[in-house]
């Protein structure tokens, strides 16, 4: 019958009904502690990414075996319940997407499931608050004024002033965050709202100086929708790519209005953990005054770009001009008419070359290995636009939703999801790439063609988001020496591996950074640095990201092999989103909530 | 038939259909310039409040005659069109509420209509942007980074630094705002986003000091939902009643991140308008440096509470203790054990009495005339809760929507709308009011029982939002002398009209403020002050608000009898909302858009 063929699907077949049914089966299996039944609800090649709700870890369980193992170990303690679909489920390309909420014994979580016909393909579960320790906001916000009259009550300013005077002296912070850039500040705000006494220390004079002190043309390479800090989004006129000093001012104001305890002009001289008292001893220099701190938890938020990497070239010490790492480069003003050589070909190298060229310097870029280039506009449109753009905001993808969608893609699948995006990029910008390679530039799209973001995750380097410098390279305005290395530095020149000798008044080492555990070596000990191992990278077995496969970024925002030592960092998006999970882990420990860590990562590399 | 009796209304009878039909008839009449037809669409006792969209004024047209007169004068120039319902209309108590948008020849507007069965009862029309001069936000926001490379381009910081160095010296601001409290700052932000070169000058050392320097226990009396500044709402943990120093910090950061041109430690010495060049000459003292400014527009945002009112009592000059106006009162710290007399019984008087009592002073309040008291919690619940509360936010009443709903109530109806609210308040808090009157306190609810907000609009005084002091008065902890006036001040006492002599070490004159045009007298001339006349007040012919009926607050946010002179102020809600209309009026004038002012108010009172 014709009617049969064109009849609408049965009601139970709507995405929402199917998602509801799956969620009910899943909850039933979990509540019955029927691990086999729960695992059977997933497809063979499935991924469950958990952000501290089931595992007190940031971990991705792969396949039914991985899922079963975790549930066997953790299910009784987690006691999940109350799974509820959040909004209508949607379907595209045979995959249903369903948002949901749930509870555990100690907290409330949210998640996103992708369901195929025969089971769950990807599952994200993420804790968002601890029961009994919810942030005070909206209806539960503080009153501010205490109505009624009471003799000798203290004003807000008096209480704030006293807290500032006491914290770190007569009263110890529960947590110390070393590094007060966007990472430390965003985490500090979350800890403040959770009532975790925290001290952020930073070497600069003012919050925001880490941005202000960079070369003057620097702007964020990521767009505004990607860059919000927690709680206080940028107003809607904020520029797409904020200039560094404007970001500096925003961070400074954020510290003030979020009432963070922030010690400027303070450096950490040493840190040691006492396994018996379970307490750190930190010696810091607060603007000349030595202070000893005893926090229970220590967070290194010193920048994912750890400690500057400066290759040792023979003769460098004889160089008569100016030489420095890109992180110390002040900008091009003083180098008009000078001969400048920039070693490196990633973001900083390109930015600095363009800045020097704009100031009338004679600039040569030394490209030692191939680099991925993505034009900013194309990148925004193809790679970020769906989640972080005005278009996304208009279609209801809030920052929070975008962050969770982003987090819901297991890293194992992310590369393959990205390959078609970068194929499209290569096609759209074919002329541009053609001009660039004709100028001798060594171009790549990653070992497997998965492009920029995977390079960022795997190695934190190897790319440039083009905001203009590539045209200067293509046209020869920025001179290029590619496929060479430096063999020697002389008082007034650099000798390259192809025999070229480049006259130089300035050498900029845009040669990247070491792993963040270098900071642990510097501040704590080499032993602790080796114990926690390399930070960042997925173990993808691609260039500069040796295996074995980790499935998550090493050591970031999650427990490490050193008790009470944490690493926080990443770009503004990562700092914003993952600071939530780090803050919840710290709060839970402070409140004595059991936090058994599932699958604490093995250490395979020390740097 | 039963079916007929219970049948649903015909489709054309839904609120949305009826509102759409009304709006279409209204637009048809306007487009045909058929004034009679347009006026006939209103009920006899109707009110059309316009915020600079039809009248380039803030004005309420009353009745068909008032509406006809305006349309006859303005319709051809305004050229309204494109009326569209915005969302579904709703009906309650026989009145349909319908949101809509429209255009004029030069701008875009929004509005809210209340329709009765036989026509429109209240209509609000409000301009929100000028065509071709829209604020850059969302999709049209600035890029920030200018992609590509260009020699000698300036960074954001360089451009900002140059602007700061030039404005007021080599380049004249279009507008100068005197007074950098929340009013001047919010207006400054709107002008910034509209590209109107503006300089805000303020006498204090830092933005926010006007709050910081008040007595230390001061908190906002209005709740957070009422207090947001434009563009950058408080985060959702912000306290309900923010302490003064916290607001001070917020304002300081707001000035910074909104990039306002703000001269601190600057006072205006004189101002004169040249009717020929149509330019002001302002002499200001910028932290010791005399600077002459030549703006085209001058805004006095010196606080709606103008210049302190200090009654002249015989013998005041002989007083041996400390005496000052409430605005200069530093707080109770230094008055423990002292005999303190506070003259007045409004907000400041109560706050200061409680603060002195909390610091252990012996306090007497001198109540000269009756006062309205509203308990804060009751006020929030009954009077503000529907529009400004967590409950309102949750039910979709955004700040913008709340502001427009508030603005849509014509002042003529507002008193009668308020009477039942305060009747309910009197019932709910009957015990409280009973204790208070038993202690001798002279209580009122306004001449017509319309309560606090009407007193605020009519006279800007005569009430206290109770946050605790009233219980101290009721219990006698704060001593009360009511129904008396001061007849003489002696070196160590105050003599009252009932013959009582109160020993005094401190006298606080919590005796209110003069009209804002007092600032015009002080800074410009008495002649100009008299020409513009009294500010604030509705002409309600109730106590301290002499008639004739004005229908709007005198001189506030709208053209005055002195060309290029404007008054801005009010509480945080009013400053936020009405700064939009003031900013649009200034922007239109800067861009040379014709701004014929309809019904410029007559001056009936000079102070």
């Amino acid at each position: 019958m014709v009617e049969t063929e064109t009849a609408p699907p049965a009601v139970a077949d709507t995405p929402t009904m199917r998602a509801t049914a799956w969620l009910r089966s899943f909850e039933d299996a979990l509540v019955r502690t029927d691990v086999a039944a729960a695992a059977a609800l997933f497809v063979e090649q499935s991924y469950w990414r958990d952000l501290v709700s089931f595992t007190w870890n940031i971990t991705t369980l792969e396949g039914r075996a991985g899922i079963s193992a975790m549930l066997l170990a953790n299910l009784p303690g987690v006691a999940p319940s109350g799974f509820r679909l959040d909004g209508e489920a949607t379907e595209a390309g045979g995959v249903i997407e369903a948002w949901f909420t749930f509870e555990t014994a100690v907290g409330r979580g949210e998640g996103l499931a992708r369901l195929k016909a025969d089971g769950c393909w990807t599952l994200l579960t993420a804790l968002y608050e601890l029961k009994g320790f919810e942030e005070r906001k909206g209806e539960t916000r503080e009153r501010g004024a205490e109505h009624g009259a009471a003799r000798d009550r203290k004003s807000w300013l008096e209480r704030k002033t006293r807290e500032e005077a006491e914290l770190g002296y007569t009263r110890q912070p529960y947590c110390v965050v070393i590094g007060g850039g966007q990472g430390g500040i965003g985490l500090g705000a979350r800890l403040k709202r959770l009532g975790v006494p925290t001290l952020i220390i930073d070497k600069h004079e003012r919050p925001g100086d880490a941005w202000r002190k960079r070369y003057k043309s620097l702007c964020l390479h990521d767009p505004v929708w990607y860059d919000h800090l927690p709680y206080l989004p940028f107003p809607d006129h904020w520029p797409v790519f904020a200039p560094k000093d404007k970001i500096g001012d925003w961070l400074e104001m954020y510290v003030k209005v979020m009432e963070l305890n922030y010690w400027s002009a303070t450096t950490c001289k040493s840190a040691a953990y006492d396994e018996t008292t379970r307490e750190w001893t930190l010696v810091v220099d607060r603007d000349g005054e030595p202070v000893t701190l005893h926090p229970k938890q220590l967070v290194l938020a010193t920048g994912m770009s750890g400690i500057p990497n400066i290759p040792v070239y023979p003769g460098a010490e004889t160089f008569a001009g100016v030489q420095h790492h890109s992180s110390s480069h002040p900008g091009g003003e003083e180098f008009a008419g000078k001969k400048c050589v920039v070693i490196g070909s990633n973001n900083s190298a390109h930015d600095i070359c363009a800045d020097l060229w704009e100031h009338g310097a004679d600039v040569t870029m030394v490209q030692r290995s191939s680099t991925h280039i993505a034009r900013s506009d194309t990148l925004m449109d193809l790679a970020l636009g769906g989640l972080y753009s005005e278009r996304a905001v208009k279609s209801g993808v809030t920052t929070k939703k975008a962050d969770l969608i982003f987090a819901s893609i297991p890293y194992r699948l992310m590369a393959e999801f990205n390959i078609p995006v970068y194929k499209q990029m290569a096609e759209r910008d074919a002329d541009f790439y053609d001009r660039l390679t004709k100028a001798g530039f060594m171009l790549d799209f990653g070992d497997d063609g998965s492009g920029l973001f995977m390079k960022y995750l795997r190695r934190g380097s190897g790319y440039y988001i083009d905001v203009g410098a590539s045209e200067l390279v293509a046209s020869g305005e920025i001179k290029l020496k590619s496929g060479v290395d430096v063999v020697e530095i002389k008082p007034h020149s650099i000798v390259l591996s192809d025999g070229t000798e480049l006259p130089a008044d300035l050498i900029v080492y845009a040669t990247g950074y070491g792993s963040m555990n270098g900071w642990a070596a510097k501040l704590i000990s080499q032993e602790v640095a080796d114990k926690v191992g390399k930070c960042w990278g997925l173990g993808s077995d691609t260039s500069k990201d040796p295996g074995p496969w980790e499935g998550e970024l090493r050591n970031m925002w999650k427990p490490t092999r050193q008790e009470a030592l944490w690493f926080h960092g990443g770009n503004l998006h990562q700092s914003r989103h993952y600071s939530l999970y780090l803050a919840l882990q710290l709060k839970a420990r402070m409140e004595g909530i059991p936090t058994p860590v599932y699958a604490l990562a093995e250490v395979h590399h020390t740097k």
Side-chain angles (χ1 to χ4, degrees), chain A residues 221 326 341-353 364-374 436 440-444 455 459 461-466 469-470 473 478-484 508-512 544:
Chain A
H221 287 199
S326 57
V341 177
V342 176
I343 301 170
S345 53
N346 290 344
N347 260 338
S348 297
H350 276 86
D351 274 355
I352 290 170
C353 283
T364 304
M365 177 188 285
V366 175
Q367 185 184 28
R368 299 169 302 165
S369 57
S370 74
T371 306
H372 170 59
I373 309 284
L436 206 49
F441 195 85
M442 298 188 300
L443 186 71
D444 72 59
K455 276 200 162 188
R459 49 183 281 198
S461 68
Y463 56 85
Y464 167 53
I465 300 176
D466 178 37
S470 290
V473 172
I478 292 172
K479 296 168 191 166
L480 179 69
K481 290 298 293 180
S482 65
V484 294
V508 179
Y509 298 92
T511 42
K544 300 199 179 179

Side-chain angles (χ1 to χ4, degrees), chain A residues 101-143:
Chain A
T101 58
F102 65 100
E103 293 189 18
T104 69
V106 299
R108 294 182 194 90
E110 57 202 342
L112 178 58
R114 287 189 188 81
L115 308 175
K116 291 187 171 177
D118 49 346
C120 182
W121 177 35
T122 74
L123 182 68
L124 172 74
T125 50
L127 190 71
Y128 70 84
E129 69 182 3
L130 294 164
K131 292 178 186 172
F133 304 101
E134 297 83 1
E135 293 184 18
R136 294 185 64 179
K137 61 181 178 181
E139 273 171 352
T140 60
R141 68 179 77 214
E142 285 179 18
R143 295 266 298 179

Side-chain angles (χ1 to χ4, degrees), chain A residues 256-272:
Chain A
K256 183 95 177 171
V257 301
M258 299 302 283
E259 299 179 39
L260 308 187
N261 290 104
Y262 190 103
W263 287 6
S264 294
T266 301
T267 50
C268 180
K269 310 311 269 181
S270 70

Side-chain angles (χ1 to χ4, degrees), chain A residues 423-434:
Chain A
K423 201 169 266 177
Q424 204 183 339
M425 184 180 287
E427 282 161 22
R428 185 186 292 190
D429 294 333
D431 284 355
F432 165 78
Y433 289 122
D434 196 42

Side-chain angles (χ1 to χ4, degrees), chain A residues 381-579:
Chain A
D381 190 32
L382 298 181
L384 276 184
L387 293 181
Y388 300 98
S389 65
E390 208 62 37
R391 158 164 64 99
V393 171
K394 281 196 176 163
S395 67
V397 182
T398 59
T399 305
K400 183 185 163 181
K401 211 163 184 178
D403 287 352
L404 287 171
I405 294 171
F406 212 146
S408 76
I409 315 283
Y411 288 122
R412 183 80 88 173
L413 297 180
M414 202 176 269
E416 92 187 44
F417 280 21
N418 270 286
I419 291 167
V421 173
Y422 287 87
K423 201 169 266 177
Q424 204 183 339
M425 184 180 287
E427 282 161 22
R428 185 186 292 190
D429 294 333
D431 284 355
F432 165 78
Y433 289 122
D434 196 42
R435 285 201 301 286
L436 206 49
T437 47
K438 275 190 181 137
F441 195 85
M442 298 188 300
L443 186 71
D444 72 59
F445 280 78
D447 289 8
D448 52 359
S450 61
L452 192 139
F453 196 67
M454 293 314 299
K455 276 200 162 188
Y456 171 70
L457 292 172
R458 290 166 172 173
R459 49 183 281 198
S461 68
Y463 56 85
Y464 167 53
I465 300 176
D466 178 37
V467 292
S470 290
E471 289 294 355
L472 295 175
V473 172
S475 67
E477 293 285 330
I478 292 172
K479 296 168 191 166
L480 179 69
K481 290 298 293 180
S482 65
V484 294
D485 207 337
V486 176
V487 292
E488 188 187 353
I489 293 178
K490 295 184 174 178
H492 299 284
S493 64
I494 295 182
V495 183
L496 302 180
S497 52
D498 67 352
T500 316
E501 184 166 350
L502 296 173
D505 303 308
L506 168 72
I507 302 173
V508 179
Y509 298 92
T511 42
Y513 298 84
S515 161
M516 274 184 80
N517 69 332
W519 281 103
K522 192 172 167 173
L523 299 176
I524 308 166
S525 68
Q526 189 60 50
E527 187 196 343
V528 167
D530 290 347
K531 184 166 144 194
V532 300
K534 180 179 167 71
C535 298
W536 208 261
L538 300 170
S540 62
D541 228 356
T542 56
S543 306
K544 300 199 179 179
D545 183 29
W549 177 246
E550 304 273 353
E552 293 288 341
L553 288 172
R554 299 181 188 90
N555 283 321
M556 296 307 298
W557 316 294
K558 61 181 190 173
T560 68
R561 290 270 160 192
Q562 171 59 58
E563 183 179 80
L565 178 65
W566 308 81
F567 293 91
H568 178 56
N571 60 31
L572 282 152
H573 149 249
Q574 290 169 310
S575 293
R576 170 185 65 244
H577 190 202
Y578 290 98
S579 57

Side-chain angles (χ1 to χ4, degrees), chain A residues 5-68:
Chain A
E5 288 177 23
T6 61
V11 173
D13 253 9
T14 67
T16 295
M17 295 299 281
R18 282 165 58 195
T20 304
W22 185 88
L23 215 52
R24 190 172 306 135
S25 305
F26 185 55
E27 177 168 6
D28 285 351
L30 296 183
V31 167
R32 293 195 319 269
T33 327
D34 186 342
V35 171
L41 287 164
F42 289 80
V43 299
E44 193 57 55
Q45 286 219 334
S46 52
Y47 305 88
W48 179 349
R49 185 162 195 234
D50 182 57
L51 306 177
V52 309
S53 69
F54 275 69
T55 61
W56 284 110
N57 200 350
I58 294 181
T59 193
T60 302
L61 314 163
E62 300 195 358
R64 289 181 189 150
I67 291 166
S68 297

